[in-house]
Amino acid sequence: RAAPGEANIVALHSLARTMPRLAARALALIASAQAFYLPGVAPRDYMDSDKVEIRVHKLSSPRTHLPFDYYSLPFCRPDNLVKQAENLGEVLHGAVIQNSPYEVFMGRSEFRIACRVELTKAQKITLSQRVRQDYRVHLIMDNLPAATKMIAEMADGTKKDMYDRGFRLGFLGSKDIPR
């Protein structure tokens, strides 16, 4: 019978001999795989007139760094509001992703009014504060974040396309763009 310390040494020695074999088997399995699937990012093909689901995510600001739920502002809401996290990362990150009333169909350029809202004085104040605080609206289409394309002029005079996640909630007027 082994002493208590000797039993631990024997177990560690056995584990040290087994680990390289387990690692080799895992590498062999990975090497034999030709493709993999990540939940929530499977490719999808659309036909003309197929509905492209638009989901809402959040409002964020590079100035305040304080996110708000999309529906914290008086935006149009669907009849039945549903939280729709697509994957474990969104759940762990605390992302609140919900359905929206917006309808977009592949290959069609049709527009309709989603709803009309009469704003209260408090809602107007909150909305104007969020615009002044440079809040961005984050939507998700086909599991991809909506983005704003910007053209940046580089130091050497060349232009480069860049993308910023989301789009501005609104703009303030200036002398060039009156209010």
Side-chain angles (χ1 to χ4, degrees):
R1 184 169 185 195
E6 289 177 18
N8 289 339
I9 292 171
V10 171
L12 285 174
H13 180 67
S14 175
L15 182 63
R17 286 186 320 185
T18 307
M19 286 303 286
R21 281 186 251 149
L22 289 174
R25 287 181 185 160
L27 286 174
L29 283 173
I30 292 170
S32 68
Q34 294 181 9
F36 63 95
Y37 166 73
L38 294 174
V41 291
R44 170 147 187 229
D45 293 326
Y46 289 94
M47 304 296 291
D48 274 348
S49 299
D50 282 354
K51 184 175 182 177
V52 179
E53 187 176 359
I54 298 178
R55 294 174 298 151
V56 299
H57 183 198
K58 65 181 176 180
L59 303 170
S60 69
S61 169
R63 289 188 187 174
T64 67
H65 302 287
L66 180 64
F68 284 96
D69 179 75
Y70 177 83
Y71 290 117
S72 67
L73 291 178
F75 293 127
C76 298
R77 292 175 178 249
D79 294 333
N80 185 22
L81 200 57
V82 179
K83 291 185 180 180
Q84 299 176 318
E86 283 288 324
N87 57 53
L88 182 59
E90 291 172 357
V91 173
L92 293 175
H93 190 261
V96 178
I97 298 172
Q98 300 166 309
N99 58 327
S100 77
Y102 311 117
E103 293 186 346
V104 173
F105 297 92
M106 185 59 68
R108 294 188 357 208
S109 297
E110 298 170 3
F111 302 95
R112 69 175 183 84
I113 297 171
C115 70
R116 293 186 190 274
V117 177
E118 187 73 31
L119 300 178
T120 65
K121 185 175 182 177
Q123 289 173 323
K124 289 176 188 178
I125 290 169
T126 302
L127 189 58
S128 64
Q129 283 175 334
R130 300 286 184 272
V131 170
R132 277 193 225 95
Q133 294 167 334
D134 199 23
Y135 269 85
R136 314 292 168 101
V137 177
H138 295 273
L139 303 179
I140 298 172
M141 298 173 63
D142 192 29
N143 288 328
L144 295 171
T148 302
K149 181 179 179 180
M150 301 175 295
I151 301 172
E153 190 166 336
M154 308 310 285
D156 63 359
T158 60
K159 293 183 179 183
K160 183 177 180 179
D161 291 344
M162 300 176 79
Y163 295 88
D164 190 18
R165 289 184 104 180
F167 57 89
R168 289 177 182 240
L169 177 60
F171 297 91
L172 295 177
S174 68
K175 66 179 183 175
D176 299 326
I177 306 170
R179 292 179 188 211

